[in-house]
Amino acid sequence: MNVPALLTVSAAVACMTIQGSTQASTEDLRSSRRSISYHTVDIDGLKIFYREAGAPSAPTVLMLHGFPSSSRMWEPLLPLLAEKYHLIAPDYPGFGNSDAPSPSSFTYTFDNLAKVIDQLTVKLGLTSYVLFMQDYGGPIGFRLAVAHPERVRAIMIQNAVSHEQGLSPLWDARRKYWANPVHELEALKANFTSLEATRQRHIGTSPHPERYDPDTWGDEYAFLSRPGQADIQTTLFLDYRTNVACYPLWQKWLRETRPPMLVVWGKYDPSFTIAGATAYADDVPDAEVHLLETGHLTLDEATDEIASLVRDFLERLNRHAG
C-alpha cells in the first residue's frame, strides 16, 4: 500500500473511532430533565400553571414558591430530585404563568390562594405529599397543612417565617402600610417592589454578591412591572397581616403534630432573620435546621447543598415510613 492510501485508511479509522466515541458518550449521558414537563389546568375558570417532574408513582413533593418569584425558582432543583421523587411546583394566581385577573375580579388573599392550590392538588390526585415552602409558600402551605394534616408527610422550609421574631426591621414600614394603606403605599413600593428591593431580596448582606445572577432580580422586576401587577401585589400584601395573626395557630399545629421537618435558611436574608429559622426547633425539637451562606432565595447560591440536604432528609423519611 502506498503512503497516500495508508494515510487515507488511517484517517478513516480515526474518524470511525471519534464517531464511535461520541455516540458512546452520548448514550452514557443521563438527564433527569427528561421527566420535567409544563402544564396548565383550569381551576374555577383560572388557568393555573405548574411544573411537574419525576414519576407520578414516586413520593410527591409539593413545592410552593415565594414573592415575587414563581415555580421557576425551583427549576434548578427539579433535575436533582426528579430521579426519585414526584415534584409538583405551581404558580399562584397573579404569579408566573398562571392567570392574573385584576383585584376587582379575583380576591387576592392568602386564604384564596391556598384554596386554589388545594383544588389543584385534588385535581392532580395528590393525597400524600411533603410540603416544601419558601416565603409566600409558607402561609399557603401551612393553611393546607392545618386543613388536611393527614396529607402532609413532612415539612421542608426555606426562608418562610411563622414566628414574629423572624421578621426583620424592614417589616416596620410594611406594618405601617397595613395600618394605613393609602398613605403608606409609595413607601411600601420602595421597601417592597422597587428594583433595588428586588435585588436586595436576593443578595441581602452576602459577602459574595458576584455569585448572584442579575437576571434573577431583573426578570422578577420585569414581572412586577407588568400591567396590573402593582395592584395585585399591594392588594395581596395588605392581606399578609392575616398570616402574622395565624402564627400562633401554625405554631400550635407544629407542636401538636411534630412533623418530620427540615429547615434550610439563607442567613443573609434582609427580610427574615435567623431567629425565624431557629424558632422552628422550639416547636419541633427534632427539626433539622441548617443555616446557609446565602440570601433570601437560597437556591441562588446553594443549589447543590440544598439538593444534598433534601435528598438525605427524604431518603431517611422514606426509610422510616418503609
Side-chain angles (χ1 to χ4, degrees):
M1 182 180 294
N2 59 30
V3 173
L6 180 61
L7 290 174
T8 301
V9 172
S10 299
V13 172
C15 183
M16 290 173 61
T17 302
I18 292 171
Q19 288 178 343
S21 174
T22 301
Q23 290 173 354
S25 63
T26 300
E27 291 170 358
D28 288 342
L29 289 176
R30 296 290 184 269
S31 173
S32 51
R33 289 203 63 84
R34 293 175 181 174
S35 72
I36 298 176
S37 55
Y38 306 88
H39 309 274
T40 300
V41 296
D42 183 275
I43 303 292
D44 283 347
L46 292 177
K47 292 180 180 178
I48 300 300
F49 173 86
Y50 68 95
R51 298 165 199 261
E52 183 173 19
S57 58
T60 297
V61 179
L62 181 59
M63 310 172 84
L64 302 176
H65 69 79
F67 169 88
S69 190
S70 67
S71 59
R72 177 184 173 184
M73 67 162 283
W74 302 110
E75 192 76 18
L77 203 55
L78 297 182
L80 302 178
L81 301 178
E83 184 179 353
K84 294 185 177 181
Y85 302 101
H86 180 219
L87 312 171
I88 296 291
D91 290 350
Y92 318 134
F95 290 80
N97 292 294
S98 289
D99 278 349
S102 70
S104 62
S105 57
F106 179 82
T107 304
Y108 282 97
T109 65
F110 284 87
D111 279 347
N112 216 20
L113 295 190
K115 177 183 175 183
V116 170
I117 300 305
D118 187 23
Q119 290 177 295
L120 174 67
T121 65
V122 172
K123 181 160 259 187
L124 298 182
L126 307 181
T127 58
S128 176
Y129 44 74
V130 174
L131 282 169
F132 199 172
M133 308 180 290
Q134 197 272 338
D135 190 61
Y136 275 15
I140 292 170
F142 274 115
R143 281 171 167 84
L144 296 180
V146 171
H148 307 290
E150 74 284 356
R151 299 180 186 174
V152 180
R153 298 182 60 226
I155 297 283
M156 298 192 293
I157 296 284
Q158 191 234 288
N159 291 67
V161 164
S162 300
H163 303 80
E164 287 261 9
Q165 59 265 44
L167 302 178
S168 79
L170 284 177
W171 287 80
D172 293 344
R174 299 169 188 180
R175 291 178 190 273
K176 289 179 181 178
Y177 172 69
W178 298 340
N180 192 344
V182 174
H183 184 265
E184 297 293 335
L185 180 60
E186 293 307 313
L188 175 78
K189 289 179 179 178
N191 176 281
F192 194 58
T193 60
S194 67
L195 176 59
E196 180 57 22
T198 306
R199 174 180 177 273
Q200 280 301 311
R201 190 172 290 108
H202 286 267
I203 295 176
T205 57
S206 172
H208 300 290
E210 74 280 359
R211 295 177 181 172
Y212 290 79
D213 182 357
D215 285 347
T216 55
W217 58 83
D219 289 351
E220 287 175 0
Y221 185 68
F223 161 75
L224 289 171
S225 301
R226 292 193 308 190
Q229 271 299 313
D231 287 342
I232 289 172
Q233 297 304 331
T234 54
T235 299
L236 180 59
F237 187 70
L238 185 60
D239 188 66
Y240 198 98
R241 55 190 170 179
T242 66
N243 299 331
V244 178
C246 283
Y247 286 174
L249 172 64
W250 301 340
Q251 293 162 22
K252 181 175 182 288
W253 182 85
L254 288 170
R255 290 193 300 271
E256 292 178 350
T257 307
R258 293 199 174 186
M261 191 169 201
L262 173 69
V263 179
V264 289
W265 200 274
K267 67 182 184 180
Y268 300 128
D269 189 335
S271 293
F272 296 153
T273 69
I274 290 174
T278 57
Y280 283 111
D282 295 333
D283 298 324
V284 183
D286 293 334
E288 301 176 31
V289 181
H290 301 268
L291 302 179
L292 308 180
E293 301 284 331
T294 70
H296 179 68
L297 290 108
T298 60
L299 289 172
D300 284 349
E301 193 176 347
T303 300
D304 292 340
E305 185 176 0
I306 291 172
S308 178
L309 291 168
V310 168
R311 283 197 300 254
D312 181 62
F313 175 77
L314 293 177
E315 285 172 7
R316 284 184 281 111
L317 177 69
N318 292 333
R319 283 200 302 270
H320 179 72

